[in-house]
Amino acid sequence: MDTARRPTLAVIGGGIIGRICALAAADAGWQVDVYDAGPTRRAAQVAGGMLGALGEGHPGEGRLLDRSAASSAMWPDWIDRLGDPGIRTAEDSLIVATTAADGEYLRQMAQFVWSEQVGGDRLRPLRAREARALERSLSTRVHSGYLAVGEGALDNRRLLAALRIALVDAGAHWHRIAITALSDVTADQVLVAAGMATPRLLPEIALVPAKGEILRLHRNRESVPVPTRVVRARVEGRDVYLVPRADGVVVGATQYEPSALDDHAPRAGGVADLLADAVEIMPGLATYDLAEAAAGIRPCSADGLPIIERVDARTVVAAGHGRNGIVLAPDTAARVVRLLAG
Ligand SMILES: Cc1cc2nc3c(=O)[nH]c(=O)nc-3n(C[C@H](O)[C@H](O)[C@H](O)COP(=O)(O)OP(=O)(O)OC[C@H]3O[C@@H](n4cnc5c(N)ncnc54)[C@H](O)[C@@H]3O)c2cc1C
């Protein structure tokens, strides 16, 4: 490598992972070019933006819980770096059950979190009336719950926009193009972060698609106020979450196998379930405007952990972030910069 010039890096994919890795690399001295196919199939565009860790502590997923908690703690520095505190839309999460069986499900999740070394003291049990005192619009059907202190949410679209501005300010170049072969890009190093499309460029990387519907509701003059915390609910065996935004809430998300990788149409049944469960948990949401129904495909790895590794002397991959790409982004960027540095 010519030491008289900055080393060059081509990043394939401008989703959350490509952008944050590109910016971390630019900050570390790389001259970066980002190649992105556009927003149509970008999971980060539709995501809820929750920084889920304690609220996603499913037994058997200890390593993911550990990684998510560590990465979530890195977000405040990134938000400072981006200079836009409005990216953060909630500081804490309220996790509630609507039936005794749902309460038992959450209790098992909490027991698992408390058994891991991830700051489980931030997950605090609540009685129904304590939960309703925190979020006054919650349904009287709430049975029990937990407060996950410090487990908030980001506005994913504002975040993507801020990252792109920061990249340009850092001297990176953005190219709106779909790359079909890695040999088409000229750079000292190549990072493949193309989400669900990664295996098309690197067939040795196996990913499983998990489709999900997600809704955006806007508050109007008749509506109850937007909740101040993320509300995650277990409603008769189904999960639903409400993520605050400046103008309303994001309601997510279903999860099932898509019919094909271009199956991005939100299905009526998924939208109906989300609306029913959201209104069950917060009846006042019925007065909000339905601004958007969308679907995205989560790029999942076999073991639930992202695949961040060197593929060959010139190529590094960062993909397979599943349902946690936003929370795992800072940790991924740190690992990618270390891999690039050799
Ligand atoms: C409904 C839903 C809700 C979610 N909610 C959350 C949440 O609350 N919290 C959380 O942490 N995560 C959430 N996720 C998961 C998160 O969105 C993903 O893990 C994350 O977006 C993965 O990031 P990525 O950059 O790898 O992929 P993507 O965000 O999908 O980006 C991939 C990018 O690569 C580009 N690309 C593809 N092929 C090519 C090519 N050949 N050449 C150039 N560019 C290419 C695409 O245009 C796209 O911009 C959610 C996902 C879904 C679907």
Side-chain angles (χ1 to χ4, degrees):
M1 195 183 293
D2 178 5
T3 52
R5 64 173 176 87
R6 295 166 80 192
T8 56
L9 171 68
V11 177
I12 317 298
I16 180 64
I17 300 303
R19 286 181 205 213
I20 198 165
C21 291
L23 185 55
D27 286 348
W30 292 80
Q31 175 59 53
V32 180
D33 284 85
V34 180
Y35 299 87
D36 183 61
T40 314
R41 295 179 184 175
R42 186 184 295 145
Q45 193 74 21
V46 297
M50 287 182 302
L51 301 180
L54 308 180
E56 301 219 355
H58 302 293
E61 294 188 348
R63 287 174 66 205
L64 180 60
L65 171 61
D66 194 37
R67 188 86 71 90
S68 301
S71 189
S72 184
M74 297 161 83
W75 265 118
D77 285 347
W78 270 103
I79 291 171
D80 284 351
R81 162 72 180 84
L82 296 173
D84 179 5
I87 290 171
R88 185 178 279 275
T89 64
E91 299 289 342
D92 302 323
S93 293
L94 200 53
I95 306 159
V96 295
T98 55
T99 65
D102 295 330
E104 175 56 22
Y105 176 91
L106 293 187
R107 194 188 65 77
Q108 286 180 20
M109 204 178 71
Q111 291 290 352
F112 174 67
V113 169
W114 290 329
S115 71
E116 300 282 312
Q117 304 297 314
V118 290
D121 57 322
R122 291 190 291 111
L123 188 65
R124 298 175 190 158
L126 297 173
R127 294 201 177 90
R129 66 179 159 73
E130 293 172 322
R132 288 210 307 278
L134 290 175
E135 290 295 341
R136 301 226 164 250
S137 306
L138 273 184
S139 159
T140 51
R141 270 202 69 192
V142 165
H143 169 276
S144 55
Y146 296 84
L147 180 66
V149 177
E151 189 152 301
L154 308 179
D155 180 332
N156 48 310
R157 292 178 181 174
R158 194 161 168 165
L159 169 65
L160 289 171
L163 281 166
R164 180 152 171 188
I165 290 168
L167 272 168
V168 172
D169 288 349
H173 298 122
W174 188 277
H175 311 268
R176 171 77 184 267
I177 183 173
I179 299 298
T180 51
L182 297 185
S183 53
D184 289 347
V185 290
T186 313
D188 298 323
Q189 291 283 301
V190 178
L191 170 68
V192 183
M196 201 57 232
T198 298
R200 286 195 204 147
L201 295 165
L202 294 171
E204 62 269 51
I205 303 297
L207 297 178
V208 181
K211 182 180 170 184
E213 278 90 17
I214 191 159
L215 314 175
R216 281 168 163 81
L217 308 187
H218 286 176
R219 189 178 178 219
N220 59 47
R221 270 172 291 171
E222 293 164 24
S223 307
V224 296
V226 173
T228 55
R229 299 166 183 79
V230 174
V231 177
R232 307 178 70 123
R234 186 89 180 159
V235 184
E236 293 176 5
R238 283 202 301 248
D239 292 316
V240 67
Y241 56 73
L242 314 174
V243 192
R245 288 289 188 274
D247 56 0
V249 290
V250 179
V251 179
T254 55
Q255 182 155 332
Y256 58 95
E257 191 182 336
S259 59
L261 289 185
D262 61 357
D263 174 10
H264 279 81
R267 288 198 189 155
V271 172
D273 285 348
L274 289 176
L275 281 176
D277 291 344
V279 171
E280 182 73 40
I281 205 71
M282 197 165 276
L285 289 182
T287 63
Y288 277 50
D289 299 330
L290 176 57
E292 182 183 316
I297 297 187
R298 305 169 184 89
C300 302
S301 66
D303 65 0
L305 287 170
I307 301 162
I308 306 164
E309 59 192 34
R310 179 163 284 289
V311 178
D312 60 36
R314 191 176 84 119
T315 315
V316 168
V317 62
H321 291 71
R323 63 178 196 267
N324 293 311
I326 295 180
V327 64
L328 290 171
D331 174 77
T332 303
R335 286 170 193 267
V336 163
V337 167
R338 283 200 295 273
L339 279 171
L340 290 172

